[in-house]
Amino acid sequence: MGCPEISYKQMCREIDRIMSDKPNTNFDIPFDEVLSRVKTYEHNPKFYYNSGIAVRNVFYDIAENEGNDAINAACGGLHMFEELIGLHKEDEDV
């Protein structure tokens, strides 16, 4: 069975990689630093578009290499990622 935190961290590292325009993910950077950078990016349409690309990349990799249990766990990681980037702020105000 997969772990949602693993896919969440992958999504965070992937959006950081995309937004910093790097060809490869640097796993030597502490995850706390990655989180800080993701939080400081301007949350504009480009950021949200790239967030979708990051999620797609992670789900594609999981589907190709890990199977259904990992996909189910990635859905939990996706929810955590959506909360991080503030995707559902409007829903919270209702």
Side-chain angles (χ1 to χ4, degrees), residues 1-45:
M1 182 169 208
C3 175
E5 279 196 22
I6 293 172
S7 58
Y8 168 69
K9 289 180 179 182
Q10 290 172 325
M11 291 173 205
C12 293
R13 288 189 181 277
E14 183 67 2
I15 187 58
D16 184 50
R17 181 194 69 77
I18 292 170
M19 293 299 291
S20 61
D21 202 28
K22 303 287 185 205
N24 298 309
T25 303
N26 184 351
F27 291 100
D28 295 332
I29 298 172
F31 184 68
D32 290 341
E33 186 177 325
V34 171
L35 275 181
S36 293
R37 285 204 305 249
V38 170
K39 290 176 183 178
T40 61
Y41 291 127
E42 182 180 355
H43 287 52
N44 58 21

Side-chain angles (χ1 to χ4, degrees), residues 18-84:
I18 292 170
M19 293 299 291
S20 61
D21 202 28
K22 303 287 185 205
N24 298 309
T25 303
N26 184 351
F27 291 100
D28 295 332
I29 298 172
F31 184 68
D32 290 341
E33 186 177 325
V34 171
L35 275 181
S36 293
R37 285 204 305 249
V38 170
K39 290 176 183 178
T40 61
Y41 291 127
E42 182 180 355
H43 287 52
N44 58 21
K46 178 183 176 185
F47 174 80
Y48 288 110
Y49 174 81
N50 285 328
S51 293
I53 299 296
V55 169
R56 183 213 55 197
N57 291 348
V58 170
F59 268 80
Y60 179 81
D61 183 58
I62 290 170
E64 287 292 311
N65 299 309
E66 298 182 38
N68 290 339
D69 283 342
I71 287 286
N72 290 334
C75 291
L78 173 61
H79 183 71
M80 295 165 62
F81 184 71
E82 289 172 344
E83 288 179 0
L84 172 70

